[in-house]
Amino acid sequence: MDMPKHVSVLLEECIENLNIKPDGVYLDGTTGLGGHSLQIAKRLTTGRLICIDRDESAIRRSKQRLKEHLDKITFVHDTFSNAADIVKSLGLPGVDGMLFDLGVSSPQLDEAERGFSYMNDAPLDMRMDDTAPLTAKEVVNSWPEERLQRILWDYGEEKYARRIVAAIIAYREKKEIETTLELVDIIKSAMPASALREKQHPAKRSFQAIRIAVNDELGEVERMMDTAPDMLNKGGRLCVISFHSLEDRIVKNGIFRREKGCTCPREAPICTCGFVQTLKSVSRKPILPSTEEIEINPRSRSAKLRVAERV
């Protein structure tokens, strides 16, 4: 199996911030093609790495990339929001570090048949897990108008959401929308000429919004932030790379709740709400890719890495 070209985002920064111990237990909740996992595994001697991905093809490819370290690795086909349950099911009391790269992997974007791309014609799919029931085709053909407008506005920040959805509704009343380029043409038909001249592809924001909805990406992040940090051992690190402002906000707020979540009035002399700090931010601001990394990998431009430590 040929390995697709892939560049891991903020790789050095992630490895540095995980503070990897040779005998530690680590979890890569979004393994993808295994770029981050490989660098973790290389630093383990008697330690263990748990590699999770909801995409079975990603697991198959990462096994090839990590073939020299398979004795240290447990692969799990599941969603990263179940990380805490996975750790428990493996009989582990906790882990020393967790990494979650929330971006869509390059093969998912580049392989036309997956239906993520607005540049190639393919069936409307966009599932990260091809065994999941919900597809982009179902979303655009059956979701009500108000719901479609909300996801395009909230998830894609698409200012022409109302016009685009109106065009989708009118089109699907005549026939089912079946392919990516069919949807692209509908989106373009609804946008003013000035928007079509923008540097960004006119369908980019809408495709992003539909992909997020299909894969419940924000819900996954919320569930992960609610449960995964509880499985960190004291001093263990949580590293999360996000590419979307909504994802980053969930991660930021999730860390804040565990760091400074006391609900007592400011004037209260002591805490009476029962809050116990479980995380502390390693850096006040997110870590961003360097200019050099962005030049090498333009897809890293919007990446933000937040790091927190279990206390």
Side-chain angles (χ1 to χ4, degrees), residues 12-249:
E12 293 181 7
E13 292 85 350
C14 286
I15 299 304
E16 178 184 349
N17 279 281
L18 279 172
N19 284 349
I20 298 169
K21 300 182 295 185
D23 60 348
V25 179
Y26 296 86
L27 181 146
D28 186 344
T30 46
T31 302
L33 291 182
H36 292 106
S37 290
L38 178 60
Q39 295 305 316
I40 296 171
K42 283 181 175 180
R43 289 161 172 79
L44 299 178
T45 52
T46 57
R48 185 175 183 183
L49 174 61
I50 304 163
C51 288
I52 304 170
D53 207 289
R54 69 197 300 180
D55 185 345
E56 286 188 292
S57 65
I59 290 178
R60 289 194 297 270
R61 284 168 168 156
S62 64
K63 283 182 178 179
Q64 179 183 355
R65 188 169 195 172
L66 299 164
K67 59 186 177 183
E68 295 180 5
H69 304 279
L70 295 181
D71 59 322
K72 311 171 191 173
I73 302 174
T74 300
F75 291 91
V76 181
H77 175 226
D78 205 337
T79 58
F80 64 80
S81 63
N82 291 328
D85 290 336
I86 291 167
V87 172
K88 292 175 185 175
S89 71
L90 294 173
L92 298 170
V95 299
D96 298 299
M98 291 181 164
L99 170 63
F100 299 91
D101 178 348
L102 305 181
V104 181
S105 69
S106 295
Q108 289 172 335
L109 290 172
D110 297 337
E111 293 173 358
E113 65 270 19
R114 300 297 296 270
F116 287 98
S117 175
Y118 41 77
M119 301 298 291
N120 301 288
D121 204 22
L124 269 175
D125 194 321
M126 300 194 196
R127 291 174 296 173
M128 292 183 181
D129 176 358
D130 59 13
T131 65
L134 183 64
T135 66
K137 181 179 178 181
E138 181 176 344
V139 169
V140 299
N141 285 292
S142 67
W143 280 20
E145 184 173 5
E146 182 179 342
R147 192 176 183 189
L148 284 174
Q149 285 181 9
R150 181 170 56 82
I151 66 169
L152 261 61
W153 179 261
D154 290 348
Y155 301 166
E157 298 176 324
E158 175 54 74
K159 60 183 176 181
Y160 301 110
R162 189 181 298 274
R163 296 171 62 159
I164 292 170
V165 172
I168 289 173
I169 299 296
Y171 189 97
R172 77 188 195 186
E173 287 177 352
K174 301 173 186 175
K175 72 175 291 290
E176 195 173 53
I177 304 167
E178 298 181 352
T179 71
T180 51
L181 292 190
E182 197 174 2
L183 179 59
V184 168
D185 287 342
I186 296 168
I187 294 168
K188 286 182 174 180
S189 74
M191 301 178 79
S194 59
L196 299 178
R197 291 193 294 268
E198 292 178 3
K199 184 177 181 180
Q200 180 172 272
H201 192 285
K204 181 178 180 179
R205 292 182 293 268
S206 295
F207 268 60
Q208 171 185 281
I210 294 167
R211 187 204 78 220
I212 290 173
V214 167
N215 296 288
D216 188 25
E217 292 178 31
L218 300 182
E220 289 286 304
V221 179
E222 287 177 344
R223 289 188 289 274
M224 180 272 288
M225 289 303 300
D226 282 344
T227 58
D230 293 328
M231 301 311 299
L232 283 169
N233 295 326
K234 186 174 182 180
R237 292 285 183 90
L238 171 69
C239 296
V240 186
I241 305 171
S242 63
F243 293 81
H244 189 283
S245 60
L246 294 176
E247 292 172 338
D248 180 60
R249 191 176 306 138

Side-chain angles (χ1 to χ4, degrees), residues 1-15:
M1 183 188 297
D2 294 333
M3 289 293 291
K5 184 179 179 181
H6 177 71
V7 181
S8 297
V9 174
L10 290 164
L11 179 58
E12 293 181 7
E13 292 85 350
C14 286
I15 299 304

